[in-house]
Amino acid sequence: MRKSKTLKGLLAASAVAVMFSAVGVQAQTPTSAVQNDAAGQTGSSAGLSSGDEKALKDMAQANINEIAAAKIALSKAQSSEVKTFAQQMVDDHGGALTKVQAVAQQKGVALPTEPDASHKAIAAMLEKQSGDAFDKMYMENAGIKDHKMVLSTLQSDAMKIKDPDVKALADVHTPVVEQHLKSAQQIGMPAGK
């Protein structure tokens, strides 16, 4: 049971981390803070800075990406440990996505609804794998790599987010992503290899 709870925590955190990895890439756009004041393009996000809106969208995207990869893993993974991890990702990231969607609706922000292009490409590669090769690729990409990116972005962006509701989401999801990463790293190092 403890392992299941830990995996769920790690999965939720991973989703958030993936979402924030996109925030980090987009945050590199020059003068994004200056553009926040002039961002009348999405009048639906009343009072929300473009950076905060971006953080919400990135959190949603990360969760969507994790859920999609985990659903593939549930049907293709060979290892019961990988399947348990994948179920935890579906559960945690599904819950996290619901929370992000609630805040986004409250703030009038339209969120993505499907995995981004890079994660669709990874999903296509995962679909072609089976057995141990699938398990390894899933854990390396959705388990470790995505969670590292999301964690880094979450930690960086959490200090810059201005809206208290968006900040609360980031603050709650950071330890979950940390747990997901730890679990993925433990699973990713099989004793037999």
Side-chain angles (χ1 to χ4, degrees):
M1 282 312 251
R2 279 188 195 158
K3 194 170 192 177
S4 177
K5 287 183 180 180
T6 301
L7 285 177
K8 284 184 180 178
L10 288 178
L11 290 175
S14 298
V16 174
V18 172
M19 287 187 233
F20 278 108
S21 66
V23 172
V25 171
Q26 295 169 345
Q28 294 174 2
T29 304
T31 67
S32 61
V34 174
Q35 293 170 352
N36 285 351
D37 294 335
Q41 37 185 301
T42 53
S44 60
S45 59
L48 203 59
S49 73
S50 62
D52 289 352
E53 182 176 342
K54 191 85 184 111
L56 269 177
K57 288 180 179 180
D58 289 337
M59 281 189 269
Q61 189 67 68
N63 282 310
I64 290 166
N65 294 342
E66 282 297 324
I67 292 166
K71 285 182 176 178
I72 296 169
L74 285 174
S75 67
K76 294 195 62 129
Q78 179 174 321
S79 160
S80 62
E81 214 175 9
V82 172
K83 284 186 180 189
T84 299
F85 180 81
Q87 185 60 57
Q88 185 68 48
M89 293 302 117
V90 169
D91 295 344
D92 290 352
H93 289 286
L97 180 58
T98 299
K99 291 175 185 175
V100 171
Q101 288 169 330
V103 171
Q105 183 175 5
Q106 178 187 35
K107 306 290 181 181
V109 175
L111 297 175
T113 57
E114 61 183 24
D116 60 27
S118 67
H119 285 86
K120 284 180 182 178
I122 291 170
M125 290 189 299
L126 284 170
E127 289 287 0
K128 294 176 185 173
Q129 299 296 321
S130 62
D132 289 338
F134 174 88
D135 290 357
K136 182 178 186 212
M137 180 181 273
Y138 171 71
M139 292 308 300
E140 285 177 354
N141 286 284
I144 297 172
K145 196 181 296 182
D146 281 351
H147 284 97
K148 280 183 178 180
M149 287 189 316
V150 173
L151 181 59
S152 174
T153 306
L154 264 176
Q155 291 171 334
S156 170
D157 291 342
M159 294 183 274
K160 301 172 192 168
I161 295 171
K162 297 173 185 159
D163 183 88
D165 296 326
V166 178
K167 181 153 179 46
L169 281 174
D171 290 345
V172 166
H173 291 100
T174 299
V176 177
V177 173
E178 289 171 337
Q179 266 311 110
H180 286 177
L181 178 57
K182 286 178 188 173
S183 291
Q185 289 169 329
Q186 290 171 351
I187 293 169
M189 299 184 170
K193 194 168 183 186

